[in-house]
Amino acid sequence: MIRSSFPGRCLAGAALARTGDEMSGPALLLAGFAAAGSAGEASALLAALTAASAVGGPLLGVHLDRARHPGRLLARALALYAAGLLAVLAALGRLPLPAVLALAAATGLLGPALSGGWTAQLPRVTPPDRLPRATALDAMTYDAAALAGPALAGLLAVALDANAAVLLAAALIAAALPAAWTLPARSAAARATGSVRSELASGLRVLTSRPTLARATLVSVGACAGQGMLAACLPLLGERALGGASRGPLLLTCTAVAALLANAALARRPHLLPPDTAVRIGALLQAAALALAATGANGHPWVLLAAATLAGLGDGPLLTGLFAVRHRESPAHLRGQIFTTGASLKITAFALGTALAGPLATHSVPAALTLAATLTAAPALLHRPSRGPA
């Protein structure tokens, strides 16, 4: 039987862990820069942490699906992630850069535990009739974390130092351990029982052979590539339109607030948009936002603020719809793998988008943003909403 306290506990733990995760990237970036005095080395540190997350997702998902107590495995992953952050912090300035990067990469392997690992547990702790609302609330934890995490990192780095920001990020992740550890056990019928290789193959087949799941995944990957391209353009947008390169990332605050409000509306009316439609509309709104940003890239701050807000209004429904499609289409014994693999694909797309936009933006920011809009819109325009199985 599902206990009423479990959904709230799960969402609270997810919010803590994701805030710590969103905080850890900027905090490590600042700590790396303070220790090495080099933006290149600091960026390499963040890249190692992020790239490894993309690799670790499928394997972590398989083990969550096979575990009798997935919550305990999730808790161990969170503990190791927090410990890894502390190890990287301790190694900065004391060990050679390759060793520090190796520690960051090892830590990053567990990154999907903070995203897809939590979301995959929702159907086991939420009654079916309340799952749509719980899914919207779960998406809101991402928005809230994206808003609070970087802000906390910046404020603490200014008030104390970057090391304190890393320590708080690790503490927030560790604070989620009790919520993860007490998640209910899985019944034997809902556990994956094959070999790791066979389960990986089964998860890949489900991800690619179920049309609505495959399409929603492709749309989300395209949107993340566009978001990565936008991230690479933010310093230049800040420099040209907002009065300084450091102000560019403030646009993400507008995006996070708008996404939070959109998901709050969906939590109140969870059946307002069918999941497949929400994915498609959300991506198209983000594409329109990127195209609008391209028109304001050379000195129109209010256009950029409007574009950032529009992007958030798209991001909220897209994320909520994506989670709902995954919950609906994923077999219970493969759900963890589907969610963590999806998180890995999105992380990879974001990183590739960032890498693609960097050189292009130095020549033309509007061209980079126009390409980002195209990459975001193309999968959504090919996507045809479907009701899917009941």
Side-chain angles (χ1 to χ4, degrees), residues 120-138:
Q121 310 308 313
L122 270 184
R124 300 194 308 105
V125 299
T126 307
D129 62 324
R130 297 182 184 177
L131 185 58
R133 182 173 186 274
T135 298
L137 292 172
D138 183 49

PDB file of all heavy atoms in Angstrom, residues 120-138:
ATOM      1  N   ALA A 120      12.104   8.577 -11.195  1.00  0.00           N
ATOM      2  CA  ALA A 120      11.672   7.207 -11.480  1.00  0.00           C
ATOM      3  C   ALA A 120      10.957   6.558 -10.307  1.00  0.00           C
ATOM      4  O   ALA A 120      10.227   5.571 -10.487  1.00  0.00           O
ATOM      5  CB  ALA A 120      12.890   6.362 -11.883  1.00  0.00           C
ATOM      6  N   GLN A 121      11.136   7.093  -9.101  1.00  0.00           N
ATOM      7  CA  GLN A 121      10.510   6.484  -7.925  1.00  0.00           C
ATOM      8  C   GLN A 121       9.073   6.950  -7.697  1.00  0.00           C
ATOM      9  O   GLN A 121       8.341   6.338  -6.919  1.00  0.00           O
ATOM     10  CB  GLN A 121      11.346   6.796  -6.666  1.00  0.00           C
ATOM     11  CG  GLN A 121      12.829   6.497  -6.771  1.00  0.00           C
ATOM     12  CD  GLN A 121      13.123   5.094  -7.247  1.00  0.00           C
ATOM     13  OE1 GLN A 121      12.538   4.123  -6.748  1.00  0.00           O
ATOM     14  NE2 GLN A 121      14.015   4.967  -8.211  1.00  0.00           N
ATOM     15  N   LEU A 122       8.663   8.021  -8.355  1.00  0.00           N
ATOM     16  CA  LEU A 122       7.348   8.607  -8.071  1.00  0.00           C
ATOM     17  C   LEU A 122       6.176   7.631  -8.219  1.00  0.00           C
ATOM     18  O   LEU A 122       5.292   7.604  -7.360  1.00  0.00           O
ATOM     19  CB  LEU A 122       7.109   9.827  -8.960  1.00  0.00           C
ATOM     20  CG  LEU A 122       7.553  11.191  -8.433  1.00  0.00           C
ATOM     21  CD1 LEU A 122       7.135  12.281  -9.399  1.00  0.00           C
ATOM     22  CD2 LEU A 122       6.999  11.466  -7.045  1.00  0.00           C
ATOM     23  N   PRO A 123       6.100   6.824  -9.301  1.00  0.00           N
ATOM     24  CA  PRO A 123       4.940   5.932  -9.423  1.00  0.00           C
ATOM     25  C   PRO A 123       4.850   4.900  -8.296  1.00  0.00           C
ATOM     26  O   PRO A 123       3.769   4.355  -8.051  1.00  0.00           O
ATOM     27  CB  PRO A 123       5.173   5.240 -10.776  1.00  0.00           C
ATOM     28  CG  PRO A 123       6.041   6.175 -11.535  1.00  0.00           C
ATOM     29  CD  PRO A 123       6.950   6.775 -10.514  1.00  0.00           C
ATOM     30  N   ARG A 124       5.945   4.628  -7.625  1.00  0.00           N
ATOM     31  CA  ARG A 124       5.916   3.642  -6.535  1.00  0.00           C
ATOM     32  C   ARG A 124       5.446   4.250  -5.222  1.00  0.00           C
ATOM     33  O   ARG A 124       5.149   3.510  -4.279  1.00  0.00           O
ATOM     34  CB  ARG A 124       7.305   3.021  -6.346  1.00  0.00           C
ATOM     35  CG  ARG A 124       7.831   2.308  -7.579  1.00  0.00           C
ATOM     36  CD  ARG A 124       9.032   1.422  -7.274  1.00  0.00           C
ATOM     37  NE  ARG A 124      10.084   2.117  -6.558  1.00  0.00           N
ATOM     38  CZ  ARG A 124      10.349   1.953  -5.266  1.00  0.00           C
ATOM     39  NH1 ARG A 124       9.622   1.137  -4.532  1.00  0.00           N
ATOM     40  NH2 ARG A 124      11.338   2.613  -4.698  1.00  0.00           N
ATOM     41  N   VAL A 125       5.398   5.584  -5.140  1.00  0.00           N
ATOM     42  CA  VAL A 125       5.004   6.223  -3.884  1.00  0.00           C
ATOM     43  C   VAL A 125       3.774   7.112  -4.042  1.00  0.00           C
ATOM     44  O   VAL A 125       3.352   7.762  -3.089  1.00  0.00           O
ATOM     45  CB  VAL A 125       6.172   7.059  -3.316  1.00  0.00           C
ATOM     46  CG1 VAL A 125       7.372   6.178  -3.029  1.00  0.00           C
ATOM     47  CG2 VAL A 125       6.566   8.201  -4.246  1.00  0.00           C
ATOM     48  N   THR A 126       3.199   7.132  -5.244  1.00  0.00           N
ATOM     49  CA  THR A 126       2.065   8.023  -5.528  1.00  0.00           C
ATOM     50  C   THR A 126       0.903   7.223  -6.099  1.00  0.00           C
ATOM     51  O   THR A 126       1.092   6.435  -7.026  1.00  0.00           O
ATOM     52  CB  THR A 126       2.473   9.102  -6.554  1.00  0.00           C
ATOM     53  OG1 THR A 126       3.660   9.760  -6.102  1.00  0.00           O
ATOM     54  CG2 THR A 126       1.370  10.125  -6.734  1.00  0.00           C
ATOM     55  N   PRO A 127      -0.309   7.395  -5.584  1.00  0.00           N
ATOM     56  CA  PRO A 127      -1.467   6.724  -6.183  1.00  0.00           C
ATOM     57  C   PRO A 127      -1.627   7.143  -7.643  1.00  0.00           C
ATOM     58  O   PRO A 127      -1.339   8.294  -7.997  1.00  0.00           O
ATOM     59  CB  PRO A 127      -2.646   7.232  -5.333  1.00  0.00           C
ATOM     60  CG  PRO A 127      -2.024   7.675  -4.045  1.00  0.00           C
ATOM     61  CD  PRO A 127      -0.670   8.193  -4.394  1.00  0.00           C
ATOM     62  N   PRO A 128      -2.070   6.247  -8.508  1.00  0.00           N
ATOM     63  CA  PRO A 128      -2.164   6.563  -9.943  1.00  0.00           C
ATOM     64  C   PRO A 128      -2.964   7.818 -10.251  1.00  0.00           C
ATOM     65  O   PRO A 128      -2.602   8.580 -11.145  1.00  0.00           O
ATOM     66  CB  PRO A 128      -2.835   5.313 -10.529  1.00  0.00           C
ATOM     67  CG  PRO A 128      -2.465   4.219  -9.582  1.00  0.00           C
ATOM     68  CD  PRO A 128      -2.427   4.849  -8.224  1.00  0.00           C
ATOM     69  N   ASP A 129      -4.044   8.067  -9.510  1.00  0.00           N
ATOM     70  CA  ASP A 129      -4.864   9.239  -9.805  1.00  0.00           C
ATOM     71  C   ASP A 129      -4.180  10.542  -9.426  1.00  0.00           C
ATOM     72  O   ASP A 129      -4.587  11.622  -9.869  1.00  0.00           O
ATOM     73  CB  ASP A 129      -6.227   9.122  -9.107  1.00  0.00           C
ATOM     74  CG  ASP A 129      -6.093   9.062  -7.591  1.00  0.00           C
ATOM     75  OD1 ASP A 129      -5.120   8.451  -7.096  1.00  0.00           O
ATOM     76  OD2 ASP A 129      -6.954   9.635  -6.889  1.00  0.00           O
ATOM     77  N   ARG A 130      -3.146  10.473  -8.601  1.00  0.00           N
ATOM     78  CA  ARG A 130      -2.426  11.687  -8.190  1.00  0.00           C
ATOM     79  C   ARG A 130      -1.085  11.845  -8.905  1.00  0.00           C
ATOM     80  O   ARG A 130      -0.375  12.820  -8.669  1.00  0.00           O
ATOM     81  CB  ARG A 130      -2.191  11.663  -6.672  1.00  0.00           C
ATOM     82  CG  ARG A 130      -3.471  11.673  -5.857  1.00  0.00           C
ATOM     83  CD  ARG A 130      -3.173  11.706  -4.368  1.00  0.00           C
ATOM     84  NE  ARG A 130      -4.398  11.629  -3.581  1.00  0.00           N
ATOM     85  CZ  ARG A 130      -4.416  11.578  -2.248  1.00  0.00           C
ATOM     86  NH1 ARG A 130      -3.274  11.595  -1.577  1.00  0.00           N
ATOM     87  NH2 ARG A 130      -5.573  11.514  -1.609  1.00  0.00           N
ATOM     88  N   LEU A 131      -0.749  10.899  -9.755  1.00  0.00           N
ATOM     89  CA  LEU A 131       0.557  10.952 -10.413  1.00  0.00           C
ATOM     90  C   LEU A 131       0.722  12.178 -11.312  1.00  0.00           C
ATOM     91  O   LEU A 131       1.800  12.784 -11.315  1.00  0.00           O
ATOM     92  CB  LEU A 131       0.803   9.661 -11.206  1.00  0.00           C
ATOM     93  CG  LEU A 131       2.187   9.524 -11.843  1.00  0.00           C
ATOM     94  CD1 LEU A 131       3.288   9.621 -10.789  1.00  0.00           C
ATOM     95  CD2 LEU A 131       2.295   8.200 -12.607  1.00  0.00           C
ATOM     96  N   PRO A 132      -0.297  12.590 -12.104  1.00  0.00           N
ATOM     97  CA  PRO A 132      -0.098  13.798 -12.929  1.00  0.00           C
ATOM     98  C   PRO A 132       0.278  15.027 -12.105  1.00  0.00           C
ATOM     99  O   PRO A 132       1.168  15.795 -12.486  1.00  0.00           O
ATOM    100  CB  PRO A 132      -1.447  13.973 -13.627  1.00  0.00           C
ATOM    101  CG  PRO A 132      -2.011  12.587 -13.692  1.00  0.00           C
ATOM    102  CD  PRO A 132      -1.596  11.941 -12.403  1.00  0.00           C
ATOM    103  N   ARG A 133      -0.398  15.216 -10.971  1.00  0.00           N
ATOM    104  CA  ARG A 133      -0.069  16.378 -10.126  1.00  0.00           C
ATOM    105  C   ARG A 133       1.322  16.214  -9.521  1.00  0.00           C
ATOM    106  O   ARG A 133       2.111  17.171  -9.473  1.00  0.00           O
ATOM    107  CB  ARG A 133      -1.107  16.555  -9.016  1.00  0.00           C
ATOM    108  CG  ARG A 133      -0.850  17.771  -8.141  1.00  0.00           C
ATOM    109  CD  ARG A 133      -1.991  18.008  -7.163  1.00  0.00           C
ATOM    110  NE  ARG A 133      -1.819  19.245  -6.427  1.00  0.00           N
ATOM    111  CZ  ARG A 133      -1.115  19.355  -5.298  1.00  0.00           C
ATOM    112  NH1 ARG A 133      -0.554  18.268  -4.769  1.00  0.00           N
ATOM    113  NH2 ARG A 133      -0.986  20.520  -4.687  1.00  0.00           N
ATOM    114  N   ALA A 134       1.646  15.011  -9.050  1.00  0.00           N
ATOM    115  CA  ALA A 134       2.973  14.781  -8.476  1.00  0.00           C
ATOM    116  C   ALA A 134       4.072  14.995  -9.513  1.00  0.00           C
ATOM    117  O   ALA A 134       5.154  15.493  -9.200  1.00  0.00           O
ATOM    118  CB  ALA A 134       3.059  13.358  -7.910  1.00  0.00           C
ATOM    119  N   THR A 135       3.787  14.645 -10.775  1.00  0.00           N
ATOM    120  CA  THR A 135       4.761  14.844 -11.848  1.00  0.00           C
ATOM    121  C   THR A 135       5.023  16.329 -12.066  1.00  0.00           C
ATOM    122  O   THR A 135       6.176  16.753 -12.249  1.00  0.00           O
ATOM    123  CB  THR A 135       4.253  14.197 -13.147  1.00  0.00           C
ATOM    124  OG1 THR A 135       4.103  12.789 -12.938  1.00  0.00           O
ATOM    125  CG2 THR A 135       5.228  14.421 -14.290  1.00  0.00           C
ATOM    126  N   ALA A 136       3.965  17.139 -12.058  1.00  0.00           N
ATOM    127  CA  ALA A 136       4.147  18.590 -12.206  1.00  0.00           C
ATOM    128  C   ALA A 136       4.918  19.167 -11.025  1.00  0.00           C
ATOM    129  O   ALA A 136       5.796  20.022 -11.194  1.00  0.00           O
ATOM    130  CB  ALA A 136       2.783  19.271 -12.341  1.00  0.00           C
ATOM    131  N   LEU A 137       4.623  18.686  -9.815  1.00  0.00           N
ATOM    132  CA  LEU A 137       5.364  19.156  -8.644  1.00  0.00           C
ATOM    133  C   LEU A 137       6.826  18.738  -8.718  1.00  0.00           C
ATOM    134  O   LEU A 137       7.731  19.495  -8.331  1.00  0.00           O
ATOM    135  CB  LEU A 137       4.721  18.608  -7.364  1.00  0.00           C
ATOM    136  CG  LEU A 137       3.335  19.162  -7.024  1.00  0.00           C
ATOM    137  CD1 LEU A 137       2.735  18.398  -5.850  1.00  0.00           C
ATOM    138  CD2 LEU A 137       3.409  20.656  -6.707  1.00  0.00           C
ATOM    139  N   ASP A 138       7.071  17.536  -9.229  1.00  0.00           N
ATOM    140  CA  ASP A 138       8.450  17.070  -9.392  1.00  0.00           C
ATOM    141  C   ASP A 138       9.209  17.972 -10.362  1.00  0.00           C
ATOM    142  O   ASP A 138      10.358  18.346 -10.117  1.00  0.00           O
ATOM    143  CB  ASP A 138       8.434  15.626  -9.895  1.00  0.00           C
ATOM    144  CG  ASP A 138       9.829  15.041 -10.029  1.00  0.00           C
ATOM    145  OD1 ASP A 138      10.625  15.160  -9.083  1.00  0.00           O
ATOM    146  OD2 ASP A 138      10.127  14.460 -11.089  1.00  0.00           O
TER     147      ASP A 138
END
